[in-house]
Amino acid sequence: MDALPGKPALGAVELAEQGKREFSQKQARWAETLKVEDAEELVAAAIVSGVTTNEVCRAAAAILKDPAAQSGSRRLAQGILEPLPQDAPRPALVTRAEIQQLKRLVVKSPHDALRVAELSRLYTLLGQRKPAIVAMRRALALADTNRYVLRSAVRLLIHVGREDEAAALIADHGLTERDPWLMAAAVGAAQAAGHGGRLMRAASRMVMSDNHSAFSLSELRASLATEHLNAGEIKLARRQFRLSLKAPTENALAQAKWAQGVDKAIEISSDLMGRPEAHEAHALDTARIGHWERSLVATGEWKADERFSGKPFVHASWISTGPLNSPADALPWLQEGLVANPDDPSLLNNLAVAKAMLGDLDRADDALTRARKNAEDDAFPLILAATEGLIAFRRGDPISGAALYQQALSTCVEKRLPHQWLRVAAYLARELAAIDFRYAKATLDQIEIVETEMRKRGHTISQEISAVTNSVRDSTEKEVTDNEWNWDLSILSKLRDSLLLN
């Protein structure tokens, strides 16, 4: 219980009463301040509690009128003011009816830990992190030895950015050393907290024993394989992935599919890829071979399986803004993903890209600022520089735009990231094509040189690069006539040469 500090766990009736008090407090705060952030809090609380008052409607209207309101908040506000007909198709966002029905069931069966854990999940889908943690604390108090509850608690803590607490909760639990499902969760939590190697010895002992089935060990072996791969221990990684695929869970299969993008020697049989429930693996595999629309269909199924994970929404919005060059199609994915993942830097970056491509540049700047604030991965400065370059191009400032893309390309050279170099260069060519095709054509020439050399070295070129560069080649050839802008193309060739020398 130390991993979830705070007040003692509440009973189901007390939890409901607390929800009513919080709703009243948020309604009073909104009526006093009339600030949009308080309106957003009130609307979310209204959906959770199933109460719609005049003040809630006023708050929803204020959100929709504010051009700076977040997309997820706007969607919730629209749900208040424009309820769908009973027979209309509904988005995957959790509905009031789901929350209310489950809360009634919890009141009737206050000791049902699984229902309380599910209530926590629904709160999470609405972006209501505090009540989600309160409900999960209650579930743990009721069943702190239940595997499902423990794994759900770990996942929730990682989701809300409390990776160290998640790692401590599961690593210190008495059942973890005997249960491969809990050990897999412990290794994953340790990896998320940045110290994955801490449990390697205990996990390795468990997979070497004969006490568990291949299916029960599948996720643990995949987690071990990922740790080996990250450490550069390729042979050990391949062996563990091979063993994990003897009787894989969907998560283990998806992890192996991801790893195949790093090490193509990892083999996955067509029979496994043909499993109908392997939605994440299907989404990744169809994207790998350039079947973008099929990948989006599989991503829809993947999203249904992992409703508060940001990964399917990142994947779909990347396909829409990148290979398909259709930013409007990315927005519904981003809006839905940001409800449960409002601080996800990848989603925010993709939102900035989509908004910039659609000409909504102020919103693009806002999303980019939020992405930069929440970015912790070392790779993100490179991505954010390229996105900032895109926004500059769309503002009509090609000098700043080219300089920012050049900065991203230089980072790729410094960090020896040839695949990322190709991605940045391809999207730079797309921006240049809208201004002066001569520069775009020269950039495409440099890309072809790098691709040829990489193939000689045994690399596989992403279908994304082909999709973007082909769209540039098919675009209308436009040339600058007033000579107001000139870009030194030798910079790109020098960066190319530096990359290939590495």
Side-chain angles (χ1 to χ4, degrees), residues 279-470:
H279 304 308
E280 181 179 353
H282 288 161
L284 298 177
D285 190 54
T286 47
R288 180 184 61 82
I289 59 179
H291 292 174
W292 310 114
E293 297 291 352
R294 286 173 56 190
S295 184
L296 287 177
V297 171
T299 306
E301 301 294 338
W302 174 15
K303 174 193 72 172
D305 287 342
E306 300 186 38
R307 290 176 69 184
F308 68 67
S309 170
K311 293 192 296 181
F313 302 100
V314 171
H315 183 78
S317 58
W318 156 67
I319 288 176
S320 298
T321 56
L324 294 182
N325 197 15
S326 182
D329 291 336
L331 289 182
W333 291 95
L334 292 163
Q335 290 165 354
E336 186 174 343
L338 283 166
V339 173
N341 304 272
D343 301 322
D344 187 306
S346 295
L347 286 173
L348 290 168
N349 175 77
N350 290 2
L351 178 62
V353 171
K355 290 293 187 182
M357 293 174 70
L358 291 167
D360 192 350
L361 299 173
D362 290 339
R363 289 287 185 87
D365 279 332
D366 176 63
L368 184 63
T369 298
R370 290 164 56 203
R372 186 174 284 114
K373 179 181 177 181
N374 291 286
E376 296 179 355
D377 193 301
D378 290 342
F380 252 91
L382 182 162
I383 296 168
L384 297 176
T387 301
E388 189 176 357
L390 164 67
I391 295 172
F393 268 109
R394 299 296 170 122
R395 282 195 185 280
D397 184 3
I399 295 175
S400 298
L404 286 159
Y405 272 103
Q406 179 185 330
Q407 176 186 327
L409 290 167
S410 298
T411 301
C412 293
V413 172
E414 293 168 10
K415 295 182 177 293
R416 300 183 178 183
L417 301 171
H419 294 281
Q420 282 289 72
W421 191 96
L422 285 174
R423 293 189 71 225
V424 174
Y427 287 111
L428 169 60
R430 189 162 78 177
E431 295 309 302
L432 291 171
I435 297 173
D436 190 329
F437 193 82
R438 293 171 299 177
Y439 292 109
K441 176 65 168 62
T443 304
L444 293 176
D445 291 342
Q446 303 303 321
I447 290 172
E448 286 184 5
I449 293 171
V450 173
E451 286 180 332
T452 300
E453 184 60 31
M454 287 177 64
R455 288 192 178 97
K456 288 179 181 178
R457 299 180 184 185
H459 292 275
T460 300
I461 307 302
S462 167
Q463 289 296 315
E464 175 191 15
I465 308 303
S466 299
V468 176
T469 54
N470 287 339

Side-chain angles (χ1 to χ4, degrees), residues 176-177 179-180 182-188 191 196-209 212 217 219-225 227-228 240:
T176 299
E177 289 189 355
D179 187 325
L182 296 181
M183 182 63 78
V187 172
Q191 289 170 341
R198 190 173 296 178
L199 292 170
M200 288 293 283
R201 184 174 297 178
S204 297
R205 283 198 304 268
M206 183 173 285
V207 298
M208 290 171 63
S209 72
H212 308 285
L217 290 171
E219 288 193 17
L220 180 56
R221 288 191 184 280
S223 296
L224 280 173
E227 190 64 29
H228 285 310
Q240 289 299 339

Side-chain angles (χ1 to χ4, degrees), residues 1 4 8-10 113 134-145 149:
M1 292 301 293
L4 294 167
L10 299 175
V134 169
M136 187 56 72
R137 186 186 298 122
R138 167 71 178 163
L140 280 171
L142 292 169
D144 68 347
T145 60
V149 172

Side-chain angles (χ1 to χ4, degrees), residues 21 32-33 35 63 114 183 185 252 255 293 309 383 452 463 467:
R21 289 195 300 272
E32 179 183 350
T33 68
K35 292 181 178 179
I63 292 170
L114 298 184
M183 182 63 78
Q255 212 159 348
E293 297 291 352
S309 170
I383 296 168
T452 300
Q463 289 296 315

